[in-house]
Amino acid sequence: MRLTQGTFSYLPDLTDEQIRAQVAYAQGKGWAVNVEYTDDPHPRNTYWELWGLPMFDLKDPAGVLHEINECRKVFANSYIRVSAFDPSHTWETVRLSFIVNRPPEEPGFYLERNEVNGRSVQYTVRSYAAAARPAGERY
Amino acid sequence: MAHAPASRSAADRYKAGVMQYKEMGYFDLDYEPKETDILCVFRITPQDGVDAEEAAAAVAGESSTATWTVVWTDRLTACDKYRAKCYRVDPVPGAPDQWFAYIAYDIDLFEPNSIVNVSASIIGNVFGFKPLKALRLEDMRFPVAYLKTFQGPSTGIVVERERLDKFGRPLLGATVKPKLGLSGRNYGRVVYEALKGGLDFTKDDENINSQAFMHWRERFLYCMEAVKRAEAATGEVKGTYLNVSAGTMEDIYERAEFAKELGSVIIMIDLVIGYSAIQSISKWCRRNDMILHLHRAGHSTYSRQKSHGVSFRVIAKWMRMAGVDHIHAGTAVGKLEGDPETTRGYYDICREDFIPKRLERGIFFDQPFASLAKTMPVASGGIHAGQMHQLLDLFGDDCVLQFGGGTIGHPTGIQAGATANRVALEAMVFARNEGRDILAEGPEILQRAARTCTPLAQALEVWKDVTFNYASTDTPDFVPSVTPA
């Protein structure tokens, strides 16, 4: 399967040049860009690991691209995403978030059904990779 | 213009009999609205021979304390405070028999946290008043003090996006079609295909409640199977707006509870359930971590005609205060009524924290929203992937684009239709962020994206000639201001 979280997962994987343009867009808006990675891509896993702090004062997309590539060197088999934070009043949240690295194989998720109360079902989505191995050894 | 007489003895003012509304204290061109006043602008069409100022004063009177005759019991109250005051009357540009009447109401006239009370006061009686041919409530300005008595959207755009983990692009939805007649099992099939193909949401239609062909529990059970299967297939959070509208509030709560038990992230109501019911279910949603989608069923009966009724911009304001997270607000380019600038005005009202006066968008007052959460506008009705550049240009990122026919009617199936829309959307956002002029280059951007996405190529081919070019009935009447050189 292909994990389709993030703003651009239905497009072909982005080139570095394309990533640079999107980062420049975010920086132009005054958003702080940061890099995060995980080997637990469950849709409810909000907190991917931080690759350093959000780059609040960086205005050059090349600096972000450098961090992405450093992160890729260490976590080539993980998911890596770029997120942009908008600190302005009434937003104060992520405004753009897209995946820039994926493991070569994406086994995906299975749906566990717990049948309760007659026909009702309680559903649990489980990651094959996260269920099979501990963190850091999954992909 | 003549001003109301400044002073008259109380004995004279309260002598039994009938008196012009203008003479009763409901008209004062020197009145300066207070920061805490609730302001309205009405479009009035007086009957032939009725003076516009007297008609405007009558609207102020009949929507506040007046009745048709003098009553001595006024003198038991601080009556001047409670009288609404018409403080400005302007001719409507291009409409010789119509006037815009500006009326100020003291905040003490209204119960806190009650859209019912606002509407009962402002539109309760006066719209049937005989001396007027027609009356339309164009806009309202609510003071911060009054806004702060409302909860506002139970979730809001920011928290909805954080919960769904979806940022940087409009969300995508589709209404299940045919809207009536599918069994629960077949209905859930449409939901599964559309969500797996790439949509974020599917939606019940306004009149899907609990009918002989599909009772509500069947629909909820099959829909949630579909939602969860699609989540597992994509690794994304998905939702379907389960319409909980029903004949009684008890039934509405029962359906909402069942949606929660099954793990739905969102429920839906129709505007016709009424303002109290909307405020109640919004509080329930805040307590239960639920997003609340509102279908504006019925609004066109009173919002569409320019001369009479209530503008949708007022309804949008009321609904943000009442606490809905999503509201259908028009498409401009689709099959339903919507002048582009007027529609943008509705979107501003839903999403901005401060909405400046902007007559070309039909907005008559500066309106601060006092940090009430933002409501997500929904564009739905007769739109398709080939219009993606226009939709993104008009409405920006923070909206839901709903392609019902434009997903389910795809020649190679629902999943393909959903994928076509998602690819078109992401490609357009991507191009805009790169700095491209999407309005000019939109068709080319879509064609390029279609090279690696056959479903998009098919969608663009099937719907290439579909447009709905009809004149809008509800457009702003204003004279563009000339900027000094």
Side-chain angles (χ1 to χ4, degrees):
Chain A
M1 63 89 74
R2 180 179 172 86
L3 185 77
T4 53
Q5 294 171 21
T7 313
F8 302 124
S9 283
Y10 275 76
L11 302 181
D13 286 340
L14 308 188
T15 65
D16 280 9
E17 210 39 55
Q18 289 176 317
I19 294 168
R20 184 194 304 269
Q22 296 298 321
V23 167
Y25 169 78
Q27 289 176 332
K29 294 270 188 186
W31 301 342
V33 177
N34 89 320
V35 177
E36 299 164 276
Y37 63 94
T38 192
D39 62 0
D40 176 12
H42 189 280
R44 292 275 181 95
N45 177 20
T46 305
Y47 304 114
W48 292 23
E49 303 303 326
L50 292 171
W51 177 264
L53 295 180
M55 292 167 251
F56 290 104
D57 301 313
L58 189 63
K59 297 293 170 227
D60 181 3
V64 175
L65 214 59
H66 172 77
E67 292 301 328
I68 291 169
N69 284 319
E70 289 301 303
C71 186
R72 278 172 172 160
K73 281 182 201 162
V74 183
F75 297 106
N77 291 334
S78 289
Y79 291 95
I80 302 176
R81 72 184 175 196
V82 169
S83 297
F85 292 92
D86 177 359
S88 63
H89 177 58
T90 77
W91 286 106
E92 297 158 310
T93 185
V94 176
R95 297 300 291 278
L96 180 67
S97 177
F98 55 95
I99 291 174
V100 295
N101 198 75
R102 314 172 168 267
E105 296 288 330
E106 297 183 85
F109 305 89
Y110 73 97
L111 185 65
E112 194 171 283
R113 293 181 183 80
N114 182 22
E115 294 157 272
V116 295
N117 299 331
R119 294 188 55 229
S120 290
V121 179
Q122 287 173 339
Y123 297 96
T124 305
V125 172
R126 293 195 194 281
S127 154
Y128 287 110
R133 294 176 180 283
E137 299 171 20
R138 286 171 180 157
Y139 288 93
Chain B
M1 285 197 183
H3 290 208
S7 61
R8 185 198 300 121
S9 79
D12 189 28
R13 162 66 178 82
Y14 292 102
K15 207 156 70 181
V18 178
M19 182 188 284
Q20 283 211 324
Y21 288 89
K22 262 181 91 170
E23 310 294 316
M24 286 199 275
Y26 299 103
F27 192 85
D28 182 358
L29 295 179
D30 292 330
Y31 180 75
E32 284 192 20
K34 300 192 294 286
E35 203 175 316
T36 54
D37 283 346
I38 289 175
L39 306 180
C40 291
V41 58
F42 291 92
R43 178 193 294 254
I44 59 173
T45 312
Q47 296 281 9
D48 298 341
V50 174
D51 172 60
E53 291 187 355
E54 172 61 10
V59 170
E62 288 292 326
S63 59
S64 59
T65 57
T67 187
W68 60 276
T69 184
V70 172
V71 291
W72 63 268
T73 40
D74 268 352
R75 300 187 70 182
L76 305 176
T77 70
C79 52
D80 191 53
K81 177 183 174 68
Y82 299 133
R83 282 189 193 111
K85 291 162 194 77
C86 177
Y87 64 94
R88 181 174 163 186
V89 180
D90 294 340
V92 173
D97 60 339
Q98 298 180 354
W99 280 263
F100 288 131
Y102 290 73
I103 297 175
Y105 300 79
D106 191 272
I107 192 171
D108 281 359
L109 289 168
F110 303 95
E111 178 176 347
N113 187 34
S114 173
I115 296 299
V116 162
N117 183 249
V118 168
S119 57
S121 297
I122 305 291
I123 62 170
N125 257 346
V126 68
F127 280 67
F129 195 52
K130 277 183 178 170
L132 302 170
K133 273 188 199 158
L135 179 64
R136 188 187 206 217
L137 178 56
E138 290 279 352
D139 198 4
M140 291 185 76
R141 192 286 308 263
F142 289 98
V144 167
Y146 191 61
L147 287 173
K148 281 294 191 189
T149 67
F150 286 83
Q151 170 192 280
S154 45
T155 311
I157 291 177
V158 168
V159 175
E160 172 172 355
R161 285 190 175 283
E162 290 187 345
R163 272 192 210 160
L164 301 177
D165 187 37
K166 294 175 192 291
F167 305 100
R169 61 169 173 87
L171 303 180
L172 279 179
T175 307
V176 174
K177 305 283 176 183
K179 59 207 275 182
L180 298 169
L182 291 170
S183 70
R185 190 174 192 272
N186 292 334
Y187 196 92
R189 165 62 73 182
V190 179
V191 172
Y192 173 62
E193 299 290 326
L195 295 179
K196 188 183 178 201
L199 301 191
D200 304 299
F201 290 124
T202 48
K203 171 182 170 291
D204 291 341
D205 224 330
E206 73 282 357
N207 52 356
I208 276 287
N209 295 159
S210 193
Q211 284 105 321
F213 51 81
M214 176 172 60
H215 292 115
W216 68 274
R217 290 179 65 96
E218 286 302 291
R219 174 162 47 95
F220 285 24
L221 286 162
Y222 282 113
C223 282
M224 288 315 299
E225 171 75 15
V227 167
K228 290 296 172 179
R229 286 270 282 109
E231 276 189 7
T234 60
E236 273 187 276
V237 179
K238 301 281 184 181
T240 194
Y241 319 155
L242 295 170
N243 190 350
V244 301
S245 303
T248 69
M249 202 62 216
E250 290 72 21
D251 289 318
I252 291 175
Y253 283 133
E254 183 189 358
R255 294 176 193 189
E257 289 289 347
F258 193 50
K260 183 183 79 169
E261 277 172 33
L262 294 174
S264 185
V265 296
I266 187 163
I267 59 169
M268 162 182 166
I269 49 167
D270 294 331
L271 182 57
V272 289
I273 69 171
Y275 302 142
S276 295
I278 291 170
Q279 283 195 245
S280 290
I281 199 68
S282 173
K283 287 180 77 169
W284 182 93
C285 285
R286 178 70 71 87
R287 281 200 307 276
N288 290 281
D289 311 320
M290 192 69 83
I291 301 166
L292 182 59
H293 178 97
L294 177 84
H295 185 296
R296 55 176 174 168
H299 82 97
S300 285
T301 54
Y302 49 82
S303 69
R304 187 175 184 189
Q305 297 303 326
K306 232 196 287 198
S307 60
H308 191 83
V310 180
S311 164
F312 184 71
R313 74 184 61 87
V314 173
I315 304 297
K317 232 172 237 192
W318 289 357
M319 289 303 102
R320 184 167 174 186
M321 293 158 70
V324 306
D325 294 314
H326 288 188
I327 185 169
H328 290 237
T331 64
V333 297
K335 69 179 178 182
L336 301 176
E337 167 71 26
D339 165 65
E341 282 303 301
T342 303
T343 305
R344 281 178 136 157
Y346 306 154
Y347 278 59
D348 290 344
I349 285 167
C350 292
R351 300 189 296 201
E352 301 298 323
D353 193 50
F354 178 79
I355 301 120
K357 172 180 164 183
R358 213 165 169 180
L359 293 178
E360 71 273 24
R361 293 193 177 176
I363 294 174
F364 287 79
F365 301 107
D366 286 352
Q367 176 68 68
F369 248 102
S371 300
L372 256 67
K374 303 163 197 281
T375 294
M376 186 90 87
V378 177
S380 180
I383 55 177
H384 55 83
Q387 298 162 322
M388 201 60 84
H389 50 297
Q390 296 167 303
L391 291 164
L392 187 64
D393 177 70
L394 275 167
F395 302 135
D397 285 344
D398 291 296
C399 59
V400 186
L401 302 177
Q402 294 200 164
F403 303 86
T407 298
I408 298 161
H410 191 280
T412 59
I414 301 168
Q415 272 193 43
T419 303
N421 286 317
R422 180 77 175 263
V423 170
L425 177 71
E426 292 192 0
M428 202 56 65
V429 169
F430 192 84
R432 179 203 60 193
N433 294 1
E434 283 185 321
R436 294 181 65 184
D437 176 358
I438 57 169
L439 260 196
E441 302 172 48
E444 182 199 327
I445 292 163
L446 291 172
Q447 289 299 341
R448 177 171 285 272
R451 282 188 215 160
T452 50
C453 178
T454 307
L456 178 55
Q458 292 163 327
L460 294 174
E461 179 57 28
V462 172
W463 292 305
K464 63 176 185 251
D465 296 324
V466 178
T467 56
F468 296 90
N469 290 327
Y470 300 97
S472 297
T473 56
D474 185 14
T475 51
D477 290 322
F478 71 104
V479 179
S481 56
V482 181
T483 315

